[in-house]
């Protein structure tokens, strides 16, 4: 169950806020996987290619208009999948 998950790090880098989380997830794809760690020590490993391939289907299936909204400065963020 991931409903109460608190993210602590992405690829070993401590996450300070949501904006940094997005930046870390979208960092140059020199790694085929993204590792997300929780405060309790649990780990999720995502395959970048699988995530990119599934993104549009997930958005369409759940009728989600865009993959994120981070406020007024959202236009400064790359909205491509990672």
């Amino acid at each position: 169950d991931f409903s109460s998950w608190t993210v602590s790090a992405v690829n070993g880098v401590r996450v300070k806020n949501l904006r940094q989380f997005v930046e870390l997830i979208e960092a140059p794809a020199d790694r085929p996987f993204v590792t997300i760690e929780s405060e309790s020590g649990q780990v999720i490993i995502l395959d970048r290619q699988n995530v990119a391939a599934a993104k549009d289907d997930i958005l369409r299936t759940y009728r989600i208009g865009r993959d994120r909204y981070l406020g007024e400065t959202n236009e400064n963020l790359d909205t491509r999948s990672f």
Side-chain angles (χ1 to χ4, degrees):
D1 178 24
F2 298 102
S3 62
S4 61
W5 239 62
T6 302
V7 173
S8 64
V10 173
N11 293 331
V13 177
R14 186 112 177 114
V15 175
K16 299 174 187 169
N17 56 48
L18 187 57
R19 184 162 311 283
Q20 184 199 28
F21 173 77
V22 171
E23 290 170 357
L24 291 169
I25 292 289
E26 292 183 340
D30 59 339
R31 299 177 176 191
F33 301 98
V34 174
T35 302
I36 303 172
E37 302 166 46
S38 76
E39 289 289 339
S40 64
Q42 294 174 303
V43 176
I44 295 174
I45 300 173
L46 301 174
D47 181 303
R48 288 179 184 270
Q49 285 185 322
N50 289 345
V51 170
K55 177 186 159 195
D56 290 338
D57 287 338
I58 292 168
L59 294 175
R60 188 173 30 262
T61 298
Y62 296 99
R63 298 181 181 172
I64 301 169
R66 56 181 148 173
D67 66 349
R68 79 200 68 177
Y69 177 75
L70 295 176
E72 293 178 24
T73 60
N74 192 48
E75 67 274 0
N76 295 328
L77 292 174
D78 185 354
T79 58
R80 295 172 291 172
S81 63
F82 61 92

